[in-house]
Amino acid sequence: MSKTAQIEIRPADFNDPQLRHLVEAHHAYGAAHYPAESNHELSIEELAADEMQLFTAWLDDQCVGMAGFKPFGADAAEVKSMHVLASGRGHGIGTKLINHILKLANELQISEIYLETGSRDASAAARAMYEKFGFAYCGPFGDYREDPESVFMRLQLK
């Protein structure tokens, strides 16, 4: 990657092998750090579902990050499957992905965004980033249940 790496956010191309690699890396990361019953990762088929929008982050010509956006209820949405490969960390990719999702949420007049992430040290950087955006800790939402391996966060937009 060049010293003047360009970051681009794009809608996911589910036929791109780089996206498949990224989803596999996301699943492997979760499996390495959390018990299976506490992993809420989605398959590539679930990420491609009609109600989901998945965005990829490209650093030069490499797909190094992704974040999903799934509306639920009248005016809420969830951030799903957020992941940045180790090779993409330190470039502000997570920030760009969240900014992209928040812009979309505002365009769709979503009033609150939720997310679930891990409670262990493996997810500390993600939690810190979400906190910087103003996400606050909350209880389980949607179909989630209390789980010591999970934390739930919410951001009020309106």
Side-chain angles (χ1 to χ4, degrees):
M1 286 176 231
S2 69
K3 290 183 180 180
T4 57
Q6 295 298 309
I7 300 167
E8 183 182 357
I9 306 299
R10 305 177 193 164
D13 174 356
F14 292 97
N15 296 314
D16 190 318
Q18 287 194 60
L19 176 59
R20 290 193 178 275
H21 169 74
L22 179 59
V23 171
E24 289 167 5
H26 179 56
H27 290 185
Y29 189 85
H33 297 284
Y34 293 96
E37 64 273 10
S38 295
N39 276 322
H40 303 286
E41 292 119 354
L42 300 176
S43 69
I44 197 140
E45 293 78 19
E46 290 170 314
L47 291 169
D50 287 341
E51 69 276 5
M52 174 78 70
Q53 292 188 57
L54 186 69
F55 302 98
T56 53
W58 292 78
L59 186 58
D60 291 335
D61 61 349
Q62 299 295 310
C63 181
V64 296
M66 67 178 177
F69 177 88
K70 183 178 181 181
F72 71 91
D75 60 353
E78 181 181 1
V79 175
K80 297 291 289 181
S81 298
M82 175 88 173
H83 191 84
V84 176
L85 294 175
S87 63
R89 294 184 188 143
H91 295 277
I93 289 168
T95 296
K96 283 196 175 272
L97 284 164
I98 290 295
N99 276 328
H100 188 82
I101 283 180
L102 294 178
K103 181 180 179 216
L104 176 62
N106 281 318
E107 288 170 2
L108 296 174
Q109 299 183 346
I110 299 292
S111 63
E112 45 193 9
I113 299 269
Y114 290 85
L115 62 86
E116 178 276 337
T117 192
S119 63
R120 294 184 180 184
D121 286 347
S123 301
R127 291 191 308 271
M129 181 190 67
Y130 299 135
E131 289 170 0
K132 285 181 185 175
F133 275 94
F135 281 86
Y137 293 93
C138 64
F141 60 91
D143 293 333
Y144 293 104
R145 301 290 170 250
E146 284 290 343
D147 181 345
E149 302 292 345
S150 291
V151 295
F152 307 95
M153 302 178 86
R154 174 181 169 273
L155 175 64
Q156 184 75 37
L157 296 175
K158 296 181 188 177

